[in-house]
Amino acid sequence: MKKPKRATAAKAKKGRKTSGSRAKAAPKRSAAPARRRASAVDDGAKETVKKTDKATIRGLRTRLKGALRRVAELEAAADTDFLLDIPNRRGFERELNRAIAYMKRYRASGALIVLDVDRLKPINDSFGHAAGDEVLKAIASTLTRQIRASDVVGRLGGDEFALLLWNLSETDAKAKAVIFEQAVDELSFVFRGQHVTAGASAGVALLGSQSDAVRALEQADAAMYVRKAHRRHEPRIRLVGS
């Protein structure tokens, strides 16, 4: 009678082991879907982060482009005369230095002309600065029409203009200076019912591979004052009743 008991006990023990194994194996079957779900969540989070990073980069690039565009606008404004919309002294000197650097490298030539308005102060004193501004605008427009696209006209300040002209001999440069003077002399204005003319005196400095911007401006300025002295016989301001 004892042997059957041992067999029954062995079977019971084997049954406990099998059920225990099954119980332990159950969590293993459910772990894989959990890992897949966790992996899917991680992938989704990573994709969201990537999209956010891309959007941030696009936003930063847009802001950078806007900032660079604004810097360019400010630099252009700093180099431009706000009244006449031509280069101011800073802008013109920059162009002059670039031109001389080019001439030194490629052995090109040109001319610098400094032109001073002869009778702007009497116009300002007689009719106000608004009248003087109108004269300056007309002169700037006249000079711009007289030059080529490669040339540059700028305002050095007050009633003084400068012109950078390419590929001119000394004779041609002096002839061009006379043309500028005549074009300004021929301008006529009406202020408070009176016809008014201005005038201009121009000085020339040649440019080449040995030129220096500061020295060239000094030479042209000195030549302009010599020319102005020769024109002093003209009336300082001519007022003719309309």
Side-chain angles (χ1 to χ4, degrees), residues 56-75:
T56 301
I57 291 172
R58 285 195 299 269
L60 290 174
R61 286 176 176 171
T62 300
R63 292 173 61 185
L64 178 59
K65 288 180 180 178
L68 292 175
R69 184 167 54 252
R70 181 57 178 161
V71 169
E73 291 172 353
L74 291 173
E75 288 179 346

Side-chain angles (χ1 to χ4, degrees), residues 71-124:
V71 169
E73 291 172 353
L74 291 173
E75 288 179 346
D79 289 343
T80 303
D81 185 275
F82 73 94
L83 176 65
L84 306 180
D85 197 28
I86 59 176
N88 56 17
R89 175 179 284 273
R90 181 176 182 268
F92 185 83
E93 289 181 349
R94 182 199 63 198
E95 294 297 327
L96 180 59
N97 279 297
R98 287 179 177 176
I100 291 176
Y102 181 91
M103 292 174 186
K104 289 180 178 179
R105 182 172 182 179
Y106 297 103
R107 297 188 178 277
S109 63
L112 170 66
I113 297 178
V114 171
L115 183 144
D116 188 80
V117 182
D118 288 333
R119 296 184 288 272
L120 185 65
K121 187 178 185 303
I123 293 174
N124 282 331

Side-chain angles (χ1 to χ4, degrees), residues 115-123 135 139 159-160 181 184-185 197-202 224 227-232 234-237:
L115 183 144
D116 188 80
V117 182
D118 288 333
R119 296 184 288 272
L120 185 65
K121 187 178 185 303
I123 293 174
V135 172
I139 292 174
D159 55 0
E160 195 169 65
E181 288 180 344
V184 175
D185 289 345
T197 60
S201 300
M224 178 271 295
R227 176 61 176 162
K228 185 179 286 288
H230 291 165
R231 290 167 59 92
R232 283 178 180 167
E234 298 180 2
R236 296 187 63 190
I237 183 170

Side-chain angles (χ1 to χ4, degrees), residues 26-49:
K28 291 182 180 180
R29 288 195 299 269
S30 62
R35 282 197 298 271
R36 286 195 296 270
R37 288 194 297 271
S39 178
V41 171
D42 290 343
D43 291 343
K46 290 178 181 178
E47 187 63 27
T48 301
V49 170

